[in-house]
Amino acid sequence: MKQQIARIFPILESLKVYKQKDLQGDLSAGLTVGIMLIPQGMAYAMLAGLEPIHGLYAVTVPLLLYAIFGTSRQLAVGPVAMVSLLTAAGIATLGAESPESYLVYALTLAFMVGLIQFGMGIMRLGFVVNFLSHPVINGFTSAAAIIIGLSQVKHLFRINLPNSEHFQEMILAIFQNISDIHWLTFGIGILGIFIIKYGKKIHSAFPAPLVAVIAGISLVWAFDLSGQGVRIVGSVPSGLPGFSMPSFDWDSWKALLPIAMTISLVGFAESFAVAKTIQSKHKNYRLDANQELVALGMANFGAAFFKGYPVTGGFSRTAVNNQAGAKTTLSSVFSALLVIMTLLFFTELFYNLPNAILAAVVLVAVSGLIDLKEPILLWKKDKTDFTMLLATFLITLTLGIETGIIAGMLLSLLLVIYRASTPHMAQLGRIPGTNVFRNIQRFDNLEVRPDLLMVRIDGPIYFANIAFIKNKMDKWLMERKNQVKMIVFNMESITHIDSSGAHELNEWIQDWRKEGIDVCVSSIKGPVRDILNRWGLMQQVGPDHIFVDDNTALDSFDDNLDPDTLERYSPYALQSNLKKN
């Protein structure tokens, strides 16, 4: 029972071994991240199409819930740029009639994301995120970062731009409205970018976003810049978030389901990737992918019922949390308490906060998501993965966030299917003077006999690849010009044979033997031997045609040859000067 409770509430396990010296690190990290969360939360809420206050609500109850249920001790949960943009993109299609109805859609989306993630965690489906390959995530993230950055141009320039997530439309709109730029607003935004980007060079703990916020508020207040056209946040409600209810209208759910699925997968992929990176540096606790899904699900439930919007773990905040000395999830509790204190006592201080400063916060944050090194590396090392990255990048950039991530997942699945359906196959030859057999396409001067085809299949034999295997076998047999008298299947690399594979293998053996080509097998793994027994293939092959290794199979073949044939192929023909793959 204790183990079960500890598994459901990981915070109990960390508190059980909590030391007094850990408190200093957790407190320092909690306050540092809390200071970051205030401007970031407000900025990301605007990016999501909500009032800035909802960004602060999203880092109160959700943070506390993740601290209780999460297995990562350094992950900082809250609004992030990617999820904020996905939220805006998903709700935009519903045509909300008022800010209130828009908020209800955001709450509903948070609830749906929570339900999907919680359900995946309970059903132990954490592995599903593996279908989002690294090149796909990289291409999607870089494109989304560009779209997010362009979406903030309207606040940085104070120009009117349509809500769009298509790169070409956004660029065209910017060029059409660039003459309306408000230079004072632009100057404040550039100042904010400069402070946030280069403030860290002063010290790693320098609260650059907060300093930019203070500078922006001070300038507006001191010079009455709002009267000169600089747009500000205005009144920010004080007090704790009240209880809220998502909508349970089926039409809304049906419309939001695709974006909810996207946020669930992308949010978890981003969160778990950074959590795993940080955990590898500590190694004093274990990450559980399924429990992480449960924790993120609970955090999103908290956002849904307390006026927030979808949340997940963030890269930058988690890195800061770790660098500032976080030892346990208590650091998240301290962050949430700081935000709660701000909501209770300090919201009026944000009245004069320029929207351009919040845009600067977002722009600096997403600039780090654009990865130029990875595509260059993949171009040099793996053209297939580079193509996947580029395709996902271009689709996301031109057709939209949702289309991009779905296309990326489909590309990942298609690549898996393609690779599974085309397993590596090798003809084997013997290294002269040894009992070692190697791929004749990779090694020179191997002993290869024209009357013996020795084949190794590297992978399972199942419905998706049986046609490929048979075509390759037929091609090799044709190349030998009907000289082959024996096929030796080396099964050391075969991990599984399904019913389709067993059925086809049985037919191949019968057909080859009718053509005068005998078949034997070698190096069978235990689980594969069990499968062959179940389908009667061991009996079909024949006990005297099953060998522990290739050399034994070859000796048996030689024993059955007439003396003239044996003399002709001894010594074996040497395969030389073969081009290596």
Coordinates of all heavy atoms in Angstrom, one line a residue, residues 340-412:
I340 N 1.0 33.8 -6.4 CA -0.2 34.0 -5.5 C 0.0 35.3 -4.8 O -1.0 36.1 -4.7 CB -0.4 32.8 -4.6 CG1 -0.9 31.6 -5.4 CG2 -1.5 33.2 -3.5 CD1 -1.0 30.3 -4.6
M341 N 1.1 35.6 -4.2 CA 1.4 36.9 -3.5 C 1.2 38.0 -4.5 O 0.7 39.1 -4.1 CB 2.8 36.8 -2.9 CG 3.0 35.9 -1.8 SD 2.1 36.3 -0.3 CE 3.1 37.8 0.2
T342 N 1.7 37.9 -5.7 CA 1.6 38.9 -6.7 C 0.1 39.2 -7.0 O -0.3 40.3 -7.2 CB 2.3 38.5 -8.0 OG1 3.7 38.3 -7.7 CG2 2.2 39.6 -9.1
L343 N -0.7 38.1 -7.2 CA -2.1 38.2 -7.5 C -2.8 38.9 -6.4 O -3.8 39.7 -6.6 CB -2.7 36.8 -7.7 CG -2.4 36.2 -9.1 CD1 -2.8 34.7 -9.1 CD2 -3.1 36.9 -10.2
L344 N -2.4 38.7 -5.1 CA -3.1 39.3 -4.0 C -2.8 40.7 -3.8 O -3.6 41.5 -3.4 CB -2.8 38.4 -2.7 CG -3.4 37.0 -2.6 CD1 -2.9 36.3 -1.4 CD2 -4.9 37.1 -2.6
F345 N -1.5 41.1 -4.0 CA -1.1 42.4 -3.6 C -0.5 43.3 -4.6 O -0.4 44.5 -4.4 CB 0.0 42.2 -2.4 CG -0.6 41.4 -1.3 CD1 0.0 40.2 -1.0 CD2 -1.6 41.9 -0.4 CE1 -0.5 39.4 0.1 CE2 -2.0 41.2 0.6 CZ -1.5 39.9 0.9
F346 N 0.0 42.8 -5.8 CA 0.8 43.6 -6.7 C 0.3 43.7 -8.1 O 1.0 44.3 -9.0 CB 2.3 43.0 -6.7 CG 2.9 42.9 -5.4 CD1 3.3 41.6 -4.9 CD2 3.1 44.0 -4.6 CE1 3.9 41.5 -3.7 CE2 3.7 43.9 -3.3 CZ 4.1 42.6 -2.9
T347 N -0.9 43.3 -8.4 CA -1.4 43.3 -9.8 C -1.5 44.8 -10.3 O -1.3 45.0 -11.5 CB -2.7 42.6 -10.0 OG1 -3.6 43.2 -9.0 CG2 -2.6 41.1 -9.8
E348 N -1.8 45.7 -9.4 CA -2.0 47.1 -9.9 C -0.7 47.7 -10.4 O -0.7 48.7 -11.2 CB -2.5 47.9 -8.7 CG -1.6 48.0 -7.5 CD -2.2 48.8 -6.4 OE1 -3.5 48.9 -6.3 OE2 -1.4 49.3 -5.6
L349 N 0.4 47.1 -10.0 CA 1.7 47.6 -10.5 C 1.9 47.4 -12.0 O 2.8 48.0 -12.6 CB 2.9 46.9 -9.7 CG 2.9 47.2 -8.2 CD1 4.1 46.5 -7.6 CD2 3.1 48.7 -8.0
F350 N 1.1 46.4 -12.6 CA 1.3 46.1 -14.0 C 0.4 46.9 -14.9 O 0.3 46.7 -16.1 CB 1.0 44.6 -14.2 CG 2.0 43.7 -13.5 CD1 1.7 43.1 -12.3 CD2 3.2 43.5 -14.0 CE1 2.6 42.3 -11.6 CE2 4.1 42.7 -13.4 CZ 3.8 42.1 -12.2
Y351 N -0.3 47.9 -14.4 CA -1.3 48.7 -15.2 C -0.6 49.3 -16.4 O -1.1 49.3 -17.5 CB -1.9 49.8 -14.3 CG -2.9 50.6 -15.1 CD1 -4.3 50.3 -15.1 CD2 -2.5 51.8 -15.7 CE1 -5.2 51.0 -15.8 CE2 -3.4 52.6 -16.4 CZ -4.7 52.2 -16.5 OH -5.6 53.0 -17.2
N352 N 0.6 49.9 -16.2 CA 1.3 50.6 -17.3 C 2.3 49.7 -18.1 O 3.1 50.2 -18.8 CB 2.1 51.8 -16.7 CG 1.2 52.9 -16.3 OD1 0.3 53.3 -17.0 ND2 1.3 53.4 -15.0
L353 N 2.1 48.4 -17.9 CA 3.1 47.5 -18.7 C 2.8 47.6 -20.2 O 1.6 47.3 -20.6 CB 2.9 46.1 -18.1 CG 3.7 45.0 -18.9 CD1 5.2 45.2 -18.8 CD2 3.3 43.6 -18.3
P354 N 3.7 47.9 -21.0 CA 3.5 48.0 -22.5 C 3.3 46.6 -23.1 O 4.1 45.7 -22.7 CB 4.8 48.7 -23.0 CG 5.5 49.3 -21.8 CD 5.1 48.4 -20.6
N355 N 2.4 46.5 -24.0 CA 2.3 45.2 -24.7 C 3.6 44.9 -25.5 O 3.9 43.7 -25.7 CB 1.1 45.3 -25.7 CG -0.2 45.3 -25.0 OD1 -0.3 45.0 -23.8 ND2 -1.2 45.7 -25.8
A356 N 4.3 45.9 -25.9 CA 5.6 45.6 -26.6 C 6.6 44.9 -25.8 O 7.4 44.1 -26.3 CB 6.1 47.0 -27.1
I357 N 6.6 45.1 -24.5 CA 7.5 44.4 -23.6 C 7.1 42.9 -23.5 O 8.0 42.1 -23.5 CB 7.5 45.1 -22.2 CG1 8.2 46.4 -22.2 CG2 8.2 44.2 -21.2 CD1 9.6 46.4 -22.5
L358 N 5.8 42.7 -23.4 CA 5.4 41.3 -23.4 C 5.7 40.6 -24.7 O 6.1 39.4 -24.7 CB 3.9 41.2 -23.1 CG 3.4 41.7 -21.7 CD1 1.9 41.6 -21.6 CD2 4.1 40.9 -20.6
A359 N 5.6 41.3 -25.8 CA 6.0 40.8 -27.1 C 7.5 40.5 -27.1 O 7.9 39.4 -27.7 CB 5.7 41.8 -28.2
A360 N 8.3 41.3 -26.5 CA 9.7 41.1 -26.4 C 10.1 39.8 -25.6 O 11.0 39.1 -26.0 CB 10.4 42.3 -25.7
V361 N 9.3 39.6 -24.5 CA 9.5 38.4 -23.7 C 9.3 37.1 -24.6 O 10.1 36.2 -24.6 CB 8.5 38.3 -22.5 CG1 8.6 37.0 -21.8 CG2 8.9 39.5 -21.6
V362 N 8.2 37.2 -25.4 CA 7.9 36.0 -26.3 C 9.0 35.9 -27.4 O 9.4 34.8 -27.6 CB 6.5 36.2 -26.9 CG1 6.2 35.1 -27.9 CG2 5.4 36.2 -25.8
L363 N 9.3 37.0 -28.0 CA 10.3 36.9 -29.1 C 11.6 36.3 -28.7 O 12.2 35.5 -29.4 CB 10.5 38.3 -29.7 CG 9.3 38.8 -30.6 CD1 9.4 40.3 -30.8 CD2 9.3 38.1 -31.9
V364 N 12.1 36.8 -27.5 CA 13.4 36.2 -27.1 C 13.3 34.8 -26.7 O 14.2 33.9 -27.0 CB 13.9 37.0 -25.9 CG1 15.2 36.4 -25.3 CG2 14.2 38.5 -26.3
A365 N 12.2 34.4 -26.1 CA 12.0 33.0 -25.7 C 11.9 32.1 -26.9 O 12.6 31.0 -26.9 CB 10.7 32.9 -24.9
V366 N 11.2 32.5 -28.0 CA 11.1 31.6 -29.1 C 12.3 31.6 -30.0 O 12.5 30.6 -30.8 CB 9.8 31.9 -29.9 CG1 8.6 31.7 -29.1 CG2 9.8 33.2 -30.6
S367 N 13.1 32.6 -29.9 CA 14.3 32.7 -30.8 C 15.2 31.5 -30.5 O 15.9 31.0 -31.4 CB 15.0 34.0 -30.6 OG 15.5 34.1 -29.3
G368 N 15.2 31.0 -29.3 CA 16.0 29.9 -28.9 C 15.5 28.6 -29.4 O 16.2 27.5 -29.4
L369 N 14.3 28.6 -29.9 CA 13.6 27.3 -30.4 C 14.0 27.1 -31.9 O 13.8 26.0 -32.4 CB 12.1 27.4 -30.3 CG 11.6 27.5 -28.8 CD1 10.1 27.6 -28.9 CD2 12.0 26.3 -28.0
I370 N 14.5 28.1 -32.6 CA 14.9 27.9 -34.0 C 16.3 27.3 -34.1 O 17.3 27.9 -33.7 CB 14.8 29.2 -34.7 CG1 13.4 29.9 -34.6 CG2 15.2 29.1 -36.2 CD1 13.3 31.3 -35.2
D371 N 16.3 26.0 -34.5 CA 17.6 25.3 -34.5 C 18.1 25.2 -35.9 O 17.5 24.6 -36.8 CB 17.3 23.9 -33.9 CG 18.6 23.1 -33.7 OD1 19.6 23.5 -34.1 OD2 18.5 22.0 -33.0
L372 N 19.2 25.8 -36.1 CA 19.9 25.8 -37.4 C 20.9 24.7 -37.5 O 21.3 24.2 -38.6 CB 20.5 27.1 -37.8 CG 19.6 28.3 -37.8 CD1 20.3 29.6 -38.1 CD2 18.5 28.1 -38.9
K373 N 21.5 24.3 -36.4 CA 22.6 23.3 -36.4 C 22.0 21.9 -36.8 O 22.7 21.1 -37.5 CB 23.2 23.2 -35.0 CG 24.0 24.5 -34.7 CD 24.6 24.4 -33.3 CE 25.4 25.6 -32.9 NZ 26.0 25.6 -31.6
E374 N 20.9 21.5 -36.3 CA 20.3 20.2 -36.5 C 20.1 19.9 -38.0 O 20.5 18.8 -38.5 CB 19.1 20.0 -35.7 CG 18.5 18.6 -35.8 CD 19.3 17.5 -35.0 OE1 20.2 17.9 -34.3 OE2 19.1 16.3 -35.2
P375 N 19.5 20.8 -38.8 CA 19.3 20.5 -40.2 C 20.6 20.3 -40.9 O 20.7 19.4 -41.8 CB 18.5 21.7 -40.7 CG 17.9 22.3 -39.5 CD 18.8 22.0 -38.4
I376 N 21.6 21.1 -40.6 CA 22.9 21.0 -41.2 C 23.6 19.7 -40.9 O 24.1 19.0 -41.8 CB 23.8 22.2 -40.8 CG1 23.3 23.5 -41.3 CG2 25.3 22.0 -41.3 CD1 24.0 24.8 -40.7
L377 N 23.5 19.3 -39.6 CA 24.0 18.0 -39.2 C 23.3 16.8 -39.9 O 24.0 15.9 -40.4 CB 23.9 17.8 -37.7 CG 24.4 16.5 -37.1 CD1 26.0 16.5 -37.3 CD2 24.1 16.4 -35.6
L378 N 22.0 16.9 -40.0 CA 21.2 15.8 -40.7 C 21.5 15.8 -42.2 O 21.6 14.7 -42.8 CB 19.7 16.0 -40.4 CG 19.2 15.7 -39.0 CD1 17.7 16.0 -38.9 CD2 19.6 14.3 -38.6
W379 N 21.7 17.0 -42.8 CA 22.1 17.0 -44.2 C 23.4 16.2 -44.5 O 23.5 15.5 -45.5 CB 22.2 18.4 -44.7 CG 22.7 18.6 -46.1 CD1 24.0 18.9 -46.5 CD2 22.0 18.3 -47.3 NE1 24.1 18.9 -47.8 CE2 22.9 18.5 -48.4 CE3 20.7 17.9 -47.6 CZ2 22.5 18.4 -49.7 CZ3 20.4 17.7 -48.9 CH2 21.2 18.0 -49.9
K380 N 24.3 16.3 -43.5 CA 25.6 15.7 -43.7 C 25.5 14.2 -43.3 O 26.2 13.3 -43.9 CB 26.6 16.3 -42.8 CG 27.0 17.8 -43.2 CD 27.9 18.4 -42.2 CE 28.3 19.8 -42.6 NZ 29.2 20.5 -41.6
K381 N 24.7 13.9 -42.3 CA 24.7 12.5 -41.7 C 23.5 11.6 -42.2 O 23.7 10.4 -42.3 CB 24.7 12.6 -40.2 CG 25.7 13.5 -39.6 CD 27.1 12.8 -39.5 CE 28.1 13.6 -38.7 NZ 29.4 13.0 -38.7
D382 N 22.4 12.2 -42.4 CA 21.2 11.4 -42.6 C 20.2 12.1 -43.5 O 19.4 12.9 -43.0 CB 20.5 10.9 -41.3 CG 19.4 9.9 -41.5 OD1 18.8 9.8 -42.6 OD2 19.2 9.1 -40.5
K383 N 20.2 11.9 -44.8 CA 19.4 12.6 -45.7 C 17.9 12.3 -45.5 O 17.1 13.2 -45.8 CB 19.8 12.3 -47.2 CG 21.2 12.7 -47.6 CD 21.3 14.2 -47.7 CE 22.6 14.7 -48.4 NZ 23.8 14.2 -47.8
T384 N 17.6 11.1 -45.1 CA 16.2 10.8 -44.9 C 15.6 11.6 -43.8 O 14.5 12.2 -43.9 CB 16.0 9.3 -44.6 OG1 16.6 8.5 -45.7 CG2 14.6 8.9 -44.4
D385 N 16.3 11.7 -42.7 CA 15.8 12.5 -41.5 C 15.8 13.9 -41.9 O 14.9 14.7 -41.4 CB 16.7 12.2 -40.3 CG 16.2 11.0 -39.5 OD1 15.2 10.3 -40.0 OD2 16.9 10.6 -38.6
F386 N 16.7 14.4 -42.7 CA 16.7 15.8 -43.1 C 15.5 16.1 -43.9 O 14.9 17.2 -43.8 CB 18.0 16.1 -43.9 CG 18.0 17.5 -44.6 CD1 18.3 18.6 -43.8 CD2 17.6 17.6 -45.9 CE1 18.2 19.9 -44.4 CE2 17.6 18.8 -46.5 CZ 17.9 20.0 -45.8
T387 N 15.1 15.2 -44.8 CA 13.9 15.4 -45.6 C 12.7 15.4 -44.8 O 11.8 16.3 -45.0 CB 13.8 14.2 -46.6 OG1 15.0 14.1 -47.4 CG2 12.6 14.4 -47.5
M388 N 12.6 14.6 -43.7 CA 11.5 14.6 -42.8 C 11.4 16.0 -42.1 O 10.3 16.6 -41.9 CB 11.5 13.5 -41.8 CG 11.2 12.1 -42.4 SD 11.3 10.9 -41.1 CE 10.0 11.4 -40.0
L389 N 12.6 16.4 -41.6 CA 12.6 17.7 -40.9 C 12.2 18.8 -41.8 O 11.3 19.7 -41.4 CB 14.0 17.9 -40.4 CG 14.3 19.2 -39.5 CD1 15.5 18.9 -38.6 CD2 14.6 20.4 -40.3
L390 N 12.7 18.9 -43.0 CA 12.4 19.9 -44.0 C 10.9 19.9 -44.3 O 10.3 21.0 -44.4 CB 13.3 19.8 -45.2 CG 13.1 20.9 -46.2 CD1 13.5 22.3 -45.7 CD2 13.9 20.6 -47.5
A391 N 10.4 18.7 -44.6 CA 9.0 18.6 -45.0 C 8.0 19.1 -43.8 O 7.1 19.9 -44.1 CB 8.6 17.2 -45.3
T392 N 8.3 18.7 -42.6 CA 7.5 19.1 -41.5 C 7.6 20.6 -41.3 O 6.7 21.3 -41.0 CB 8.0 18.4 -40.2 OG1 8.0 17.0 -40.4 CG2 7.1 18.8 -39.0
F393 N 8.9 21.2 -41.4 CA 9.1 22.6 -41.3 C 8.3 23.4 -42.3 O 7.6 24.3 -42.0 CB 10.6 22.9 -41.5 CG 11.0 24.3 -41.5 CD1 11.1 25.0 -40.3 CD2 11.1 25.0 -42.6 CE1 11.4 26.4 -40.3 CE2 11.5 26.4 -42.7 CZ 11.6 27.0 -41.5
L394 N 8.3 23.0 -43.6 CA 7.7 23.7 -44.6 C 6.1 23.6 -44.5 O 5.4 24.6 -44.8 CB 8.1 23.2 -46.0 CG 9.6 23.6 -46.4 CD1 10.0 22.9 -47.7 CD2 9.8 25.1 -46.4
I395 N 5.6 22.4 -44.2 CA 4.2 22.2 -44.0 C 3.7 23.0 -42.9 O 2.6 23.7 -43.0 CB 3.9 20.7 -43.8 CG1 4.2 19.9 -45.1 CG2 2.4 20.5 -43.4 CD1 4.1 18.4 -44.9
T396 N 4.4 23.0 -41.8 CA 4.0 23.8 -40.6 C 4.0 25.3 -40.9 O 3.0 26.0 -40.6 CB 4.9 23.5 -39.4 OG1 4.9 22.2 -39.1 CG2 4.4 24.3 -38.2
L397 N 5.0 25.7 -41.6 CA 5.2 27.1 -41.9 C 4.1 27.6 -42.9 O 3.6 28.8 -42.7 CB 6.6 27.3 -42.6 CG 7.2 28.7 -42.4 CD1 7.4 29.0 -40.9 CD2 8.6 28.7 -43.1
T398 N 3.7 26.8 -43.9 CA 2.8 27.3 -44.9 C 1.3 26.9 -44.7 O 0.4 27.6 -45.2 CB 3.3 26.8 -46.3 OG1 3.4 25.4 -46.3 CG2 4.6 27.4 -46.6
L399 N 1.1 25.7 -44.1 CA -0.2 25.2 -44.0 C -0.8 25.3 -42.5 O -2.0 25.0 -42.3 CB -0.3 23.8 -44.4 CG 0.1 23.5 -45.9 CD1 0.0 22.0 -46.2 CD2 -0.8 24.3 -46.8
G400 N 0.1 25.6 -41.6 CA -0.4 25.9 -40.2 C 0.1 24.9 -39.2 O 0.6 23.8 -39.6
I401 N 0.0 25.2 -37.9 CA 0.6 24.4 -36.8 C 0.0 23.0 -36.8 O 0.7 22.0 -36.7 CB 0.3 25.2 -35.5 CG1 0.9 26.6 -35.5 CG2 0.8 24.4 -34.3 CD1 2.4 26.6 -35.3
E402 N -1.4 23.0 -36.8 CA -2.0 21.7 -36.6 C -1.7 20.7 -37.8 O -1.4 19.6 -37.6 CB -3.6 21.9 -36.5 CG -4.3 20.7 -36.1 CD -5.8 21.0 -36.0 OE1 -6.2 22.2 -35.8 OE2 -6.6 20.1 -36.1
T403 N -1.8 21.3 -39.0 CA -1.5 20.5 -40.2 C -0.1 20.0 -40.1 O 0.3 18.8 -40.5 CB -1.7 21.3 -41.4 OG1 -3.1 21.8 -41.4 CG2 -1.5 20.4 -42.7
G404 N 0.8 20.8 -39.7 CA 2.2 20.5 -39.6 C 2.5 19.4 -38.7 O 3.3 18.4 -39.1
I405 N 2.0 19.4 -37.5 CA 2.3 18.3 -36.5 C 1.6 17.0 -36.9 O 2.2 15.9 -36.8 CB 1.9 18.7 -35.1 CG1 2.5 17.7 -34.1 CG2 0.4 18.7 -34.9 CD1 4.0 17.7 -34.0
I406 N 0.4 17.0 -37.5 CA -0.2 15.8 -38.0 C 0.6 15.2 -39.2 O 0.8 14.0 -39.2 CB -1.7 16.1 -38.4 CG1 -2.5 16.4 -37.2 CG2 -2.3 14.9 -39.1 CD1 -3.9 16.9 -37.5
A407 N 1.0 16.1 -40.1 CA 1.8 15.7 -41.2 C 3.2 15.1 -40.7 O 3.6 14.0 -41.2 CB 2.1 16.8 -42.2
G408 N 3.7 15.7 -39.7 CA 5.0 15.2 -39.1 C 4.8 13.8 -38.5 O 5.7 12.9 -38.7
M409 N 3.7 13.6 -37.8 CA 3.4 12.3 -37.2 C 3.2 11.2 -38.3 O 3.7 10.1 -38.2 CB 2.2 12.3 -36.3 CG 2.5 13.1 -35.0 SD 1.0 13.0 -33.9 CE 1.0 11.3 -33.5
L410 N 2.5 11.6 -39.4 CA 2.3 10.6 -40.5 C 3.6 10.3 -41.2 O 3.8 9.1 -41.6 CB 1.3 11.3 -41.5 CG -0.2 11.4 -41.0 CD1 -1.1 12.1 -42.0 CD2 -0.8 10.0 -40.7
L411 N 4.4 11.3 -41.4 CA 5.7 11.1 -42.0 C 6.6 10.1 -41.1 O 7.2 9.2 -41.6 CB 6.5 12.4 -42.2 CG 6.0 13.3 -43.3 CD1 6.7 14.6 -43.3 CD2 6.3 12.6 -44.7
S412 N 6.5 10.3 -39.8 CA 7.3 9.4 -38.9 C 6.7 8.0 -39.0 O 7.5 7.0 -39.1 CB 7.1 9.9 -37.4 OG 7.7 11.1 -37.2

